Amino acid sequence: MKTIKSHIFIAFVLFATLFSGCKKFLEIPLPTDRFATEGAYLNDNSTGAVLTGIFSTAAGSILYNGANTLYETIGFRTSLYADDLTQIQAASVNSIAATTSQFYLNGLTSTNSTQWITLYRQVYNCNLTIENVESHRSNLSRYNQWMGEALFMRAFSYFDLVNLYGDVPLALSSDYNVTNFLPRAPKAQVYAQMAADLIRAESLLGETYLDGLSATTPNRTRPNKFAAAALLARVYLYMENYAGAEAEATKVINNSTLYQLLPPANVFLANSLETIWAIAPTTGNVVRDYYLYTTAPAVNATQVALANISPGAMSASLLNSFEANDQRIANWTVLKTTTTAPVNGQFYYPAKYKSVVNGTEFLIQLRLAEQFLIRAEARLKQNNNVTAAVQDINVVRQRARPTTPADALPDYPSTISPDACMDAILKERRTELFSESGHRFYDLKRTGRIDAVMTAAATVKGSTWASWKQIWPIPLNDIQLNPNLTQAPNYQ
C-alpha cells in the first residue's frame, strides 16, 4: 500500500531530523555516513539509534502529541467522535472547524487519512527493524532489547488500527511489492499477531527500564517486560481471552516496587510510579493545548442551546458520570468561565496534562489503574466472579476518594449482580481513562453498547448515528492504488 512505500533513506533522515528536538535520553545520533540498511545495523549503538528513531517519531507524531497539527491525537479525536467531548469551534463565532466537525458529527470521509498513514508508517518502520535486527543478530549483543522493542511497537500500532478500521491489512514485511496489494485481514488474525508479538517481546525484554545505549534510566519511555505484559493484558481483554488478561495484568499489579497507584495530582507527572510506559514529547506536551486555551471559546450561534459547546470541553454525559467528591474531577479537569458572546457560561475541560515545559509530563500510554480495571473485567467474565472484580474496582475508587466526607465514593459491595458489576467497570473506565488513547470509543464498540449510546449522543450533537460509522474509512488514495483493498461499508 502507498502508505508503507517508505525507503530506508527517507526513514532515517526523518529519524535524524527528529533527534535534534529530543530530550538527552533520546539523543543517540545515527552515524552520518550510514543511512543504508547494512550500515544501520552493524552494531548495537546504531541499532539502538534506529529504535530511538521509532520512539522519537511517535513522540513527535500528530497521532499522540499533535506536534505538527492541532487536534490530531487519537484520544482527542475519538473522544470527540464518541460522547466524551463537545464540538470544537474555529476561532471566529459561527465558524466550525471542518477537520474537527467531521469527528464530532460522525461524518468522516475518505479524505481523512492522518491516523491510517501515520500508523502504517510506524508498522513499516517496525517491520524494517525486525527484519534487519534478525538478519544482523550475530553483530548485536543487545539483540533482545532491540527485537523486543520493535515487536512491542508493531503490536501497539496495530491495536489502534484494528480498533479504528476493523479488518486491516496485516503487513509483516517491509517489502512494499508485497504490502502494496494486501487485502484486509480479519481482526482475529491481527489480534493473534499482536498477541504473538507481545508474548515474544515480554520474553525478550528485561524488567529494568533502559535507554538507547542499554543503560538503566529513570525514564519509562521505552518498553520493558511489564509494558509488554500490560499491553498484552489489554489485547487479551479485547480478544476475550479473560484468563490471559487476568494473568498478564496480575504480573504488573504484583510488582509493587516498580508500580503503585498514586494520588490523582501525581499520576501524570513524568516517570510517576503509576506509569508503565509513556511517550516523551519532543518539544513539550502539546496535548495540554487541545483543551486549555488562553482565549475564550467561540461558539456557533446555532448551537447555543447545547449546554457545553466550547473547544475541548467535556460533555454533559461525561460530567454526569462522576460522583460527588470524586477527586479525579478536582485534579484532572479545569473549570473555565467565558463571557464571549453569544455564550455566557462555565465549561469543564480535561486537564490531566497541565505543563508545556518539556520533561515535566510524558504522554502516558499504559498505567497501573487500567491494569486493575482490565483484571476486574477479566475476573468478572470468568464464572461471574463479582467478589474478585469489585475488589479491583474498589482499589481504583479508593485512590479517587477524598479524606472527607466519610461516605464519599463508597466501595461497591460484593453482592451486586454481574450486570451491575459490568456497568460499574465501564463507568470506572470512563471516569478514570477519559481523554486517554481511544478508551471510551473502543470500549463502546467492544462491549456492543455503541449504537445505543451514540444514538442518544447524536440527538445532543444534532447529527445522526448508524452502526456502520463505528468503522472509520480508509483513505481513498489507498483504495484506488490497491485493487485488493475494500472500503468500509457506506463510505465513498
Side-chain angles (χ1 to χ4, degrees), residues 93 180 211:
V93 176
N180 255 5
D211 63 14

PDB file of all heavy atoms in Angstrom, residues 93 180 211:
ATOM      1  N   VAL A  93     -16.697  33.198  15.814  1.00  0.00           N
ATOM      2  CA  VAL A  93     -18.056  32.753  16.088  1.00  0.00           C
ATOM      3  C   VAL A  93     -18.743  32.386  14.776  1.00  0.00           C
ATOM      4  O   VAL A  93     -18.540  33.015  13.740  1.00  0.00           O
ATOM      5  CB  VAL A  93     -18.829  33.873  16.812  1.00  0.00           C
ATOM      6  CG1 VAL A  93     -20.289  33.480  17.015  1.00  0.00           C
ATOM      7  CG2 VAL A  93     -18.170  34.175  18.148  1.00  0.00           C
ATOM      8  N   ASN A 180       1.874  -3.598  -0.823  1.00  0.00           N
ATOM      9  CA  ASN A 180       1.037  -2.736  -1.667  1.00  0.00           C
ATOM     10  C   ASN A 180      -0.288  -3.363  -2.048  1.00  0.00           C
ATOM     11  O   ASN A 180      -1.251  -2.653  -2.344  1.00  0.00           O
ATOM     12  CB  ASN A 180       1.784  -2.392  -2.957  1.00  0.00           C
ATOM     13  CG  ASN A 180       2.298  -0.971  -2.948  1.00  0.00           C
ATOM     14  OD1 ASN A 180       2.190  -0.267  -1.952  1.00  0.00           O
ATOM     15  ND2 ASN A 180       2.867  -0.560  -4.062  1.00  0.00           N
ATOM     16  N   ASP A 211      17.781   2.809  28.241  1.00  0.00           N
ATOM     17  CA  ASP A 211      17.780   3.824  27.199  1.00  0.00           C
ATOM     18  C   ASP A 211      18.319   3.224  25.903  1.00  0.00           C
ATOM     19  O   ASP A 211      18.504   2.003  25.794  1.00  0.00           O
ATOM     20  CB  ASP A 211      18.569   5.059  27.636  1.00  0.00           C
ATOM     21  CG  ASP A 211      20.054   4.776  27.873  1.00  0.00           C
ATOM     22  OD1 ASP A 211      20.543   3.699  27.443  1.00  0.00           O
ATOM     23  OD2 ASP A 211      20.722   5.626  28.490  1.00  0.00           O
TER      24      ASP A 211
END
